[in-house]
C-alpha cells in the first residue's frame, strides 16, 4: 500500500495553509516526544476511509533480536500476553507447519528469500505497530478488512513519516474478531508486507504483478498457504501482467511466482527481487543472470500445462512441489460437446484457455485464419500425449469418452482472436447442475459431537436416459477422509438409500473444488427423477462450502443421531441466523446423441473399403522379411482416391493419391487394391499404431466420400 504523501501535503499547503502550519508544528512536537522516550511514542497512521493521517499513542510491548512490537494504547484490549508472545515467536523463532523452514520466523525466511530490509533508521530492527486500522470493516455489514500494510512514506524524511522501518498490523478484527483471539489472518499479511519493505530497498518501481507475486510467495513459503487459488484456476484467461487490484490478481500471482520458485530456484527469486529493471525485462534479465537460455514465454508455456496436469511424474515441468498446491488443476474454459459448433474467442496476452471436447467417433476441427498458439492433449489413465497443432485442419480418430481431449490455447504476445469449427459423429447431452453462485459465503465446520455429518443437495434429472457421471463439492480443508454418496428419494422428499457404493476420497488442497468422476456412471436416469448427492464428514473441524443464495435448489443435513432435515431448519452457531442457503455441491449428467451434421465425413455405399492386408505388417524395405500392405476397396464410378495415414496424435505422416477406375462392382468379389510399402517422406515409419482413411472423389457425380477411420500396425 503506497500513499502519495507529496500530493497530500501540497494540496493541504495550497487549500488549507492554517491546517498545514498546524500539522508541521504537530510533527515537531511528535519528534520531540519520541526523542525522549523509548517505551512509548507517537505514530502517524493512515485512515483509509477519510484518506487522512492521524496520530496514535503506542507502547513497546515486545522486543526481540530482530523486531520490536508496539501496540496502540487503544488496542490493548485486543492483545493478550499470549497473543503477543505468539506474534514475536512467529516473527523470529518459527513459522507455519508447511513453511519452507518451520524453525525460522517470518523475518529470517523473507530475508533469506528476497534480501535485506532498508534499515532507514540505522538500528537494524524492524518495527511493527499493532493498531485498529481505520478501514471500512463492519461486523454486521462488511467483513472485509485490511490486515496490515507497509507505507513507503516511513522511508522518507517528510512530514507524517515515522522515519523508521515500520509495518502496520491490524488488532481488530485482525488479532481479535470479537469472539476469538487469533494470529493466522495477520501472519500471512505480515510475511506479504515484509516482502514489500524488502523490495523497496532494491527497486521502488517494480510492476505490481511481480512485486505482489513475490509478496504472495512470502506468505506461502512462511507456511500460510496459497490465497484463493480457484479464483485464477476457474478463469485462467487473465493476462499475467495486468493488475487490477482484484482477488484473482493475487491468486494468479501467487501460483505463478510459486511455480517460478520451484522451477527456477530461490536464487532466481532473489535476483528478481533485487533486479533494478521492471516487468518482463526484469524477469528475462534475471533468467539470463542465472545462465538460463529461457524467456518468460518459455516458462509461461510450461506453466499453462502444469496448471492443467499438475503431476510431476508426467514431466517435472508439469506440476507443483508445494503440498498446498497438490490437487490444484485449472477448470475447463470451454466444453465443446454438441456438433457442429463454431467456437470463437480472444486469448489474452499471457493468458490461456482450456477447451475440452466430448462426444464419440472421429473429431475434426478447422481453424479459420491464424492458428493460435496451442497444445493438443489426449490423456487416459494418467498417460498423456502432448503436441502442437500446426495445420488449420485437424482430425482426431477414435474419439471417445474413454480419453480426455483438451485444446489448450494461449498467447505469449498480445491478445489473440481465434475461431474454429468442430465436428463429430455423436454429440453429448450434457447438464452441469449448479445451484450456488461460485462464491463461498461461509465455511461450515462440524464438531466431534455431530459426526458423522452428511450434507446433501437435491438434483432433478433434466432429461430421459441420462447418466450421472461426476460430482463436485467445495472443500475449505485438506487431507481428511470424506465419503461421497449418491442417494435415492425416499418418497417423502428426503434422501433415501445409497444408489452407488460410497466413494472414499481425500481432498488434496483447501479452499478449492474437489471433482469426483464416478468409477461407474449411474445410468438410465429418468426425466424429473430425484436423486441426492451427499458429502459425509467424519473428522472434526473439517469445513465445506456454503453459499447464502436464494437459488431454486434444496439442501439437507443429517447429524449424528438425527434424521435427515432441510438445511434451513438449522441455524449458524456464530450468529443464530438460519442456514437458508445451499451447500456448494454440484452434479454433472450426460448422454450421447447422434449429431445433426458432420464435416463431410459420411460413409457411403459408393465406396466400400476392406481392412488393409496384411495387418500388422513390416515395411517392405525395412528388412528382408518386409512385406508392406494393400488397401482394398470397391467403387462405382471412376475418380480420384486419396489415402491419408495418421499417427495416434492425429498428425498426418503419409498421403498418396491415385486416379482409379472400378475393377469390381459392389457386391462382387473383385476389389481395387493399392499397395503401400510402409514408408513416409523420411523413410520407413516407426513401429506402432497408425490410423488411416480413404477419401474418394467421384468424377461422375462430383461427390466426395470418406471411409471410416481404420487402424493399422507396423512391426518394424
Amino acid at each position: 500500500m503506497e500513499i502519495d504523501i507529496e500530493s497530500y501535503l501540497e494540496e493541504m499547503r495550497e487549500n488549507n495553509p492554517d491546517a498545514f502550519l498546524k500539522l508541521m508544528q504537530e510533527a515537531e512536537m511528535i519528534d520531540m516526544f519520541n526523542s525522549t522516550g523509548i517505551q512509548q511514542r507517537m505514530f502517524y497512521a493512515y485512515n483509509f476511509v477519510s484518506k487522512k493521517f492521524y496520530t496514535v499513542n503506542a507502547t513497546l510491548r515486545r522486543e526481540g533480536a530482530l523486531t520490536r512490537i508496539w501496540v496502540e494504547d487503544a488496542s490493548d484490549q485486543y492483545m493478550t500476553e499470549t497473543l503477543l508472545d505468539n506474534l514475536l515467536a512467529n516473527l523470529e523463532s518459527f513459522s507455519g507447519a508447511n513453511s519452507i523452514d518451520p524453525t525460522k520466523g517470518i523475518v529470517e525466511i523473507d530475508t533469506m528469500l528476497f534480501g535485506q530490509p532498508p534499515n532507514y533508521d540505522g538500528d537494524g530492527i524492524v518495527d511493527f505497530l499493532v493498531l485498529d486500522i481505520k478501514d471500512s470493516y463492519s461486523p454486521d455489514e462488511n467483513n472485509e478488512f485490511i490486515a496490515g500494510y507497509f507505507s513507503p512514506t516511513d522511508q522518507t524524511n517528510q512530514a507524517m513519516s515515522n522515519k523508521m522501518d515500520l509495518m502496520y498490523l491490524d488488532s481488530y478484527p485482525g488479532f481479535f474478531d470479537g469472539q476469538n483471539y487469533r494470529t493466522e489472518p495477520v501472519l500471512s499479511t505480515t510475511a506479504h508486507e515484509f516482502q514489500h519493505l524488502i523490495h523497496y530497498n532494491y527497486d521502488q518501481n517494480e510492476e505490481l504483478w511481480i512485486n505482489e507475486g513475490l509478496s504472495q510467495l512470502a506468505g506461502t513459503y512462511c507456511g500460510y498457504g496459497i490465497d484463493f487459488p480457484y479464483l485464477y484456476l476457474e478463469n485462467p484467461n487473465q493476462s499475467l501482467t495486468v493488475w487490477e487490484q482484484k482477488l484473482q490478481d493475487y491468486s494468479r500471482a501467487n501460483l505463478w511466482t510459486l511455480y517460478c520458485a520451484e522451477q527456477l530456484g530461490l536464487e532466481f527469486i532473489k535476483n528478481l527481487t533485487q533486479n533494478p529493471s521492471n516487468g518482463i525485462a526484469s524477469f528475462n534479465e534475471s533468467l539470463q543472470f542465472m545462465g538460463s537460455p529461457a524467456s518468460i514465454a518459455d516458462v509461461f508455456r510450461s506453466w499453462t500445462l502444469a496448471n492443467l496436469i499438475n503431476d510431476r511424474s508426467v514431466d517435472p515441468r508439469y506440476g507443483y512441489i508445494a503440498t498446498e498446491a497438490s490437487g490444484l488443476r485449472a477448470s475447463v474454459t470451454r466444453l465443446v460437446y454438441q456438433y457442429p459448433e463454431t467456437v470463437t474467442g480472444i486469448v489474452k496476452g499471457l493468458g490461456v484457455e482450456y477447451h475440452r471436447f466430448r462426444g464419440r467417433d472421429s473429431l475434426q476441427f478447422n481453424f479459420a485464419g491464424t492458428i493460435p498458439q496451442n497444445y493438443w492433449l489426449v490423456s487416459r489413465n494418467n498417460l498423456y500425449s502432448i503436441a502442437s497443432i500446426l495445420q488449420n485442419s485437424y482430425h482426431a480418430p477414435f474419439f471417445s469418452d474413454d480419453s480426455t481431449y483438451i485444446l489448450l490455447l494461449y498467447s505469449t504476445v498480445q491478445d489473440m482472436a481465434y475461431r474454429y469449427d468442430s465436428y463429430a459423429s455423436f454429440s453429448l447431452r450434457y447438464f452441469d447442475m449448479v445451484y450456488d453462485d461460485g462464491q463461498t459465503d461461509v465455511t461450515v465446520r462440524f464438531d466431534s459431537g455431530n459426526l458423522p455429518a452428511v450434507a446433501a443437495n437435491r438434483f432433478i434429472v433434466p432429461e430421459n436416459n441420462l447418466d450421472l457421471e461426476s460430482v463436485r463439492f467445495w472443500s475449505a480443508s485438506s487431507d481428511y477422509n470424506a465419503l461421497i454418496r449418491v442417494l435415492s428419494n425416499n418418497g417423502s422428499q428426503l434422501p433415501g438409500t445409497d444408489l452407488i457404493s460410497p466413494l472414499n476420497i481425500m481432498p488434496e488442497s483447501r479452499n478449492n473444488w474437489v471433482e469426483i468422476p464416478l468409477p461407474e456412471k449411474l445410468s438410465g436416469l429418468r426425466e424429473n427423477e430425484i436423486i441426492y448427492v451427499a458429502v459425509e464428514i467424519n473428522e472434526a473441524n473439517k469445513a465445506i462450502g456454503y453459499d447464502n443464495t436464494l437459488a431454486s435448489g434444496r439442501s439437507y443435513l443429517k447429524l449424528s443421531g438425527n434424521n435427515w432435515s432441510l438445511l434451513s431448519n438449522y441455524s449458524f452457531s456464530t450468529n443464530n441466523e438460519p442456514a437458508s442457503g445451499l451447500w456448494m455441491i454440484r452434479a454433472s449428467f450426460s448422454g450421447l446423441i447422434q449429431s445433426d451434421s458432420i464435416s463431410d465425413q459420411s460413409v457411403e455405399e459408393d465406396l466400400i473399403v476392406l481392412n488393409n492386408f496384411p495387418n500388422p505388417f513390416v515395411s517392405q524395405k525395412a528388412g528382408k522379411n518386409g512385406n508392406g500392405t494393400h488397401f482394398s476397396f470397391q467403387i462405382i464410378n471412376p475418380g480420384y482416391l486419396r489415402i491419408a495415414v495418421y499417427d495416434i496424435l492425429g498428425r498426418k505422416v503419409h498421403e498418396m493419391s491415385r486416379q482409379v477406375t472400378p475393377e469390381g462392382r459392389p457386391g462382387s468379389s473383385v476389389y481395387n487394391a493399392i499397395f503401400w510399402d510402409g514408408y513416409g517422406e523420411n523413410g520407413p515409419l516407426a513401429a506402432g499404431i497408425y490410423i488411416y482413411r480413404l477419401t474418394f472423389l467421384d468424377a461422375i457425380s462430383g461427390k466426395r466420400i470418406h471411409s471410416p477411420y481404420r487402424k493399422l500396425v507396423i512391426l518394424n
Side-chain angles (χ1 to χ4, degrees), residues 72 123 132 187 253-254 262 299 363 381 410-411 441 488 546 562 589 591 647:
E72 171 194 31
D123 62 4
D132 183 5
L187 292 178
N254 202 159
E262 293 181 345
V299 181
L363 169 71
N381 298 329
Y410 68 93
S411 175
D441 294 320
S488 66
Y546 166 90
N562 293 286
F589 300 85
D647 64 15

Side-chain angles (χ1 to χ4, degrees), residues 303-483:
W303 185 54
T304 64
L305 290 166
N307 286 329
L308 179 66
I309 299 171
N310 198 8
D311 187 344
R312 288 173 56 84
S313 69
V314 176
D315 187 302
R317 296 170 298 170
Y318 301 159
Y320 292 92
I321 299 173
T323 302
E324 299 92 328
S326 177
L328 294 179
R329 288 181 180 85
S331 299
V332 171
T333 309
R334 180 70 178 264
L335 179 63
V336 183
Y337 59 92
Q338 291 186 330
Y339 306 95
E341 182 170 357
T342 298
V343 181
T344 62
I346 297 175
V347 179
K348 295 184 178 179
L350 292 176
V352 60
E353 290 188 356
Y354 303 96
H355 296 199
R356 183 181 179 186
F357 296 84
R358 302 279 306 274
R360 200 178 72 189
D361 287 355
S362 61
L363 169 71
Q364 176 180 335
F365 49 88
N366 304 319
F367 283 104
T370 303
I371 303 173
Q373 294 172 285
N374 68 80
Y375 288 110
W376 175 246
L377 292 86
V378 180
S379 63
R380 183 178 183 182
N381 298 329
N382 210 39
L383 298 175
Y384 287 82
S385 66
I386 304 171
S388 293
I389 296 173
L390 304 177
Q391 298 178 335
N392 286 79
S393 182
Y394 181 80
H395 301 275
F398 295 113
F399 177 49
S400 74
D401 254 10
D402 293 337
S403 300
T404 300
Y405 302 83
I406 300 287
L407 176 63
L408 186 159
L409 303 177
Y410 68 93
S411 175
T412 57
V413 284
Q414 72 277 4
D415 293 359
M416 178 67 69
Y418 65 84
R419 169 181 169 160
Y420 63 83
D421 300 309
S422 57
Y423 309 89
S425 299
F426 286 87
S427 295
L428 192 74
R429 292 179 296 154
Y430 182 80
F431 301 90
D432 194 18
M433 305 291 286
V434 176
Y435 297 123
D436 60 84
D437 62 9
Q439 300 297 318
T440 307
D441 294 320
V442 179
T443 57
V444 179
R445 289 175 167 80
F446 304 97
D447 60 37
S448 57
N450 288 321
L451 300 179
V454 191
N457 274 3
R458 183 189 71 172
F459 295 95
I460 301 175
V461 179
E463 286 187 2
N464 268 326
N465 199 28
L466 289 178
D467 304 334
L468 176 66
E469 64 173 31
S470 65
V471 300
R472 281 183 290 168
F473 75 99
W474 198 91
S475 178
S477 305
S478 62
D479 301 323
Y480 67 97
N481 289 306
L483 286 179

Side-chain angles (χ1 to χ4, degrees), residues 58-298:
T59 301
L60 181 64
R61 297 291 300 276
R62 292 292 186 277
E63 186 169 10
L66 305 172
T67 61
R68 282 190 293 257
I69 300 173
W70 303 82
V71 178
E72 171 194 31
D73 292 347
S75 290
D76 272 343
Q77 57 182 317
Y78 306 128
M79 302 301 295
T80 66
E81 297 300 312
T82 301
L83 207 58
L84 287 166
D85 289 340
N86 195 14
L87 174 58
L88 181 63
N90 274 274
L91 290 173
E92 298 201 7
S93 303
F94 58 77
S95 47
N98 291 323
S99 165
I100 194 172
D101 187 346
T103 66
K104 292 182 171 61
I106 290 172
V107 172
E108 195 171 356
I109 289 176
D110 272 17
T111 53
M112 174 188 69
L113 291 172
F114 310 112
Q116 295 297 320
N119 196 23
Y120 179 82
D121 50 13
D123 62 4
I125 297 292
V126 179
D127 291 275
F128 294 83
L129 173 62
V130 180
L131 75 165
D132 183 5
I133 295 175
K134 304 304 180 186
D135 51 27
S136 58
Y137 170 78
S138 169
D140 298 323
E141 298 178 3
N142 181 20
N143 289 326
E144 295 183 358
F145 66 97
I146 298 173
Y149 67 95
F150 152 68
S151 175
T153 302
D154 293 326
Q155 295 291 309
T156 72
N157 197 37
Q158 296 175 334
M160 290 172 290
S161 166
N162 290 301
K163 302 178 180 64
M164 60 197 307
D165 307 300
L166 179 65
M167 292 178 54
Y168 304 77
L169 305 179
D170 187 58
S171 60
Y172 174 79
F175 285 110
F176 180 69
D177 64 0
Q179 292 184 328
N180 303 301
Y181 294 98
R182 57 190 187 167
T183 57
E184 185 174 342
V186 180
L187 292 178
S188 178
T189 300
T190 303
H192 178 112
E193 296 297 333
F194 188 47
Q195 189 284 141
H196 285 317
L197 176 63
I198 294 172
H199 212 125
Y200 185 89
N201 191 35
Y202 297 99
D203 183 358
Q204 300 175 18
N205 300 304
E206 183 56 89
E207 293 182 12
L208 286 174
W209 65 277
I210 289 182
N211 199 343
E212 294 292 349
L214 292 167
S215 282
Q216 291 293 100
L217 180 68
T220 300
Y221 272 178
C222 284
Y224 306 118
I226 300 172
D227 285 341
F228 313 107
Y230 65 93
L231 289 180
Y232 173 68
L233 294 175
E234 287 190 346
N235 179 27
N237 192 17
Q238 308 170 23
S239 178
L240 177 65
T241 60
V242 173
W243 196 266
E244 298 178 338
Q245 296 289 1
K246 297 179 179 178
L247 284 178
Q248 55 260 40
D249 295 327
Y250 292 91
S251 168
R252 180 183 67 248
N254 202 159
L255 290 170
W256 164 255
T257 315
L258 173 62
Y259 180 79
C260 292
E262 293 181 345
Q263 293 291 323
L264 304 174
L266 298 185
E267 193 62 29
F268 168 82
I269 293 298
K270 183 172 287 187
N271 286 329
L272 181 61
T273 306
Q274 300 180 12
N275 189 300
S277 298
N278 303 130
I280 291 176
S282 175
F283 192 96
N284 287 335
E285 287 173 11
S286 298
L287 283 171
Q288 294 168 10
F289 184 84
M290 298 293 296
S292 171
S295 68
I296 190 172
D298 301 312

